[in-house]
């Protein structure tokens, strides 16, 4: 078990490092320009959510597996479970907001209600983020309330360790059920917007091939990067859902090798998501490269525009 805990610790460190790096870089860029772009608002919020996800998911796994007695205390169990629920739900919904934002930027600009909504998408990002916070808080409250009603209160520390462990295992499917209930809709949004964006981009690309304009080619390239990002996020969530399903069905015995692999998969999600978001952002990639190489980039007319834009065309 010690080896698996060491791996989980490395995942926590890497997740927090990449998420905090993204938050600092994007916030600094916003301060320098006296304006945080709608895309960066979503990315900052998503990485803040990833920080919460990493902290509370690791606390949840640690308490439920190592300090099982503490997790059997009703107040501790309710708090950790509700905050884990908040972190998971906010991360999923913010990813759906990000995919929806990309989708609105990729769809063709045609007169009508959709066109008006597309033009206003940047101004309503804060409202969408606030909605995510409200939904996540509501989900965490309901989870805490339900677990509180189902959880026996511990009055002393003499509870048999086996019974304590059995009780903790019994509580886990409750959290999984609420995660599914509150996150199926954003996952559906991620799927639909990714598929629709890829289709619209294919149509857009075929139309632009008839016009050999530089701007058109540049737009297609940026939109293609956005679709790749959405596709990567979709696969990450499918990967996590598979781990959650295996976890909920109790296919692997508690604390077996398969069990720990599922745990590592759940905790590796923020790291993979942060790396994907950094890779899809030219500016963040350049900053990360400078940190590790300590070499100033050679700015040429060819790459100067790309380094400054950071996907801001979308």
């Amino acid at each position: 078990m010690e080896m698996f805990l060491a791996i989980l610790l490395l995942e926590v460190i890497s997740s927090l490092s990449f998420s905090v790096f993204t938050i600092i870089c994007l916030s600094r860029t916003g301060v320098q320009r006296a304006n945080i772009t709608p895309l960066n608002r979503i990315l900052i919020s998503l990485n803040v959510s990833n920080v919460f996800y990493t902290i509370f998911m690791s606390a949840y796994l640690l308490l439920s597996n190592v300090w099982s007695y503490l997790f059997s205390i009703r107040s501790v169990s309710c708090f950790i479970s509700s905050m884990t629920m908040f972190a998971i739900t906010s991360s999923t919904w913010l990813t759906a907001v990000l995919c929806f934002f990309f989708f609105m930027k990729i769809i063709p600009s045609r007169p009508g209600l959709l066109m008006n909504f597309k033009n206003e998408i940047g101004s309503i990002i804060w409202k969408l983020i606030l909605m995510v916070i409200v939904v996540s808080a509501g989900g965490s409250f309901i989870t805490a309330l339900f677990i509180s009603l189902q959880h026996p209160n511990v009055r002393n520390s003499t509870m048999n360790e086996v019974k304590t462990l059995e009780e903790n295992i019994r509580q886990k499917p409750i959290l999984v059920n609420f995660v599914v209930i509150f996150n199926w809709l954003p996952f559906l949004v991620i799927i639909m917007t990714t598929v629709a964006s890829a289709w619209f981009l294919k149509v857009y690309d075929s139309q632009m091939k008839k016009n050999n304009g530089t701007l058109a080619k540049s737009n297609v390239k940026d939109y293609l990067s956005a679709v790749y990002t959405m596709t990567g996020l979709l696969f990450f969530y499918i990967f996590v859902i598979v781990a959650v399903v295996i976890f909920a069905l109790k296919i692997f015995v508690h604390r077996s090798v398969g069990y720990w692999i599922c745990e590592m998969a759940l905790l590796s999600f923020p790291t993979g998501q942060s790396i994907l978001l950094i890779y899809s952002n030219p500016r963040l990639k350049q900053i990360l490269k400078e940190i590790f190489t300590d070499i100033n980039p050679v700015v040429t007319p060819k790459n100067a525009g790309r380094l400054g834009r950071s996907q801001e065309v979308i």
Side-chain angles (χ1 to χ4, degrees):
M1 185 176 70
E2 290 76 9
M3 181 186 68
F4 293 110
L5 290 177
I7 296 175
L8 292 177
L9 178 61
L10 292 176
E11 289 183 338
V12 170
I13 295 174
S14 62
S15 175
L16 293 176
S17 300
F18 283 114
S19 297
V20 172
F21 163 78
T22 304
I23 294 170
I24 293 175
C25 291
L26 295 179
S27 300
R28 182 181 177 184
T29 301
V31 171
Q32 290 175 343
R33 299 182 180 181
N35 180 41
I36 301 179
T37 64
L39 175 60
N40 286 351
R41 294 174 191 173
I42 302 174
L43 294 178
I44 291 174
S45 301
L46 183 55
N47 280 277
V48 170
S49 178
N50 283 343
V51 171
F52 279 97
Y53 180 100
T54 303
I55 293 174
F56 289 105
M57 178 61 77
S58 58
Y60 181 87
L61 298 179
L62 186 64
L63 289 177
S64 61
N65 288 289
V66 181
W67 298 315
S68 56
Y69 170 72
L70 287 176
F71 196 73
S72 65
I73 300 175
R74 180 185 296 178
S75 58
V76 175
S77 177
C78 289
F79 176 75
I80 295 297
S81 298
S82 63
M83 293 307 298
T84 303
M85 177 67 186
F86 178 86
I88 295 173
T89 304
S90 61
S91 179
T92 308
W93 279 88
L94 285 171
T95 303
V97 170
L98 177 63
C99 291
F100 180 71
F101 177 81
F102 284 150
F103 168 73
M104 293 305 299
K105 291 297 181 179
I106 292 175
I107 60 175
S109 300
R110 297 175 181 175
L113 182 62
L114 193 61
M115 178 63 179
N116 295 333
F117 190 74
K118 178 176 180 177
N119 294 333
E120 297 294 328
I121 185 65
S123 61
I124 66 172
I125 288 301
W126 281 123
K127 296 179 182 179
L128 293 177
I129 294 175
L130 180 61
M131 181 199 72
V132 169
I133 295 175
V134 172
V135 172
S136 302
S140 65
F141 174 77
I142 295 175
T143 302
L145 181 61
F146 193 87
I147 290 179
S148 177
L149 295 175
Q150 298 291 321
H151 201 297
N153 196 19
V154 178
R155 293 182 174 87
N156 55 68
S157 59
T158 61
M159 178 182 286
N160 183 278
E161 182 179 355
V162 175
K163 291 183 178 180
T164 302
L165 185 59
E166 289 177 352
E167 175 61 28
N168 294 340
I169 295 174
R170 189 181 69 83
Q171 294 296 327
K172 289 183 179 181
I174 298 177
L175 178 62
V176 172
N177 291 337
F178 278 103
V179 167
V180 173
I181 292 172
F182 281 92
N183 291 276
W184 70 269
L185 181 58
F187 181 66
L188 184 62
V189 171
I190 295 172
I191 295 176
M192 294 178 63
T193 53
T194 301
V195 173
S197 297
W199 184 82
F200 277 121
L201 182 61
K202 182 179 180 180
V203 174
Y204 182 74
D205 186 32
S206 62
Q207 292 177 348
M208 289 303 101
K209 286 181 179 179
K210 301 177 182 178
N211 305 316
N212 296 322
T214 304
L215 179 61
K217 292 181 179 180
S218 177
N219 285 347
V220 169
K221 189 174 182 179
D222 288 313
Y223 291 159
L224 186 61
S225 176
V227 171
Y228 283 154
T229 302
M230 297 166 69
T231 304
L233 291 172
L234 177 59
F235 277 108
F236 269 119
Y237 274 97
I238 292 175
F239 175 71
V240 171
I241 287 175
V242 171
V244 169
V245 170
I246 294 175
F247 187 76
L249 295 178
K250 300 179 182 179
I251 295 177
F252 298 110
V253 179
H254 187 69
R255 294 181 180 176
S256 64
V257 175
Y259 172 87
W260 285 111
I261 291 177
C262 289
E263 300 276 22
M264 289 187 293
L266 292 175
L267 201 54
S268 66
F269 168 71
T271 302
Q273 187 181 58
S274 296
I275 292 175
L276 177 63
L277 295 176
I278 292 173
Y279 181 78
S280 64
N281 192 303
R283 181 57 182 166
L284 291 177
K285 283 197 301 184
Q286 187 61 34
I287 294 175
L288 193 63
K289 181 180 179 181
E290 292 176 19
I291 291 175
F292 284 102
T293 61
D294 197 26
I295 300 176
N296 293 327
V298 178
V299 180
T300 65
K302 183 178 180 180
N303 66 13
R306 291 293 298 177
L307 291 179
R309 282 195 307 170
S310 182
Q311 278 192 332
E312 290 180 6
V313 66
I314 55 176

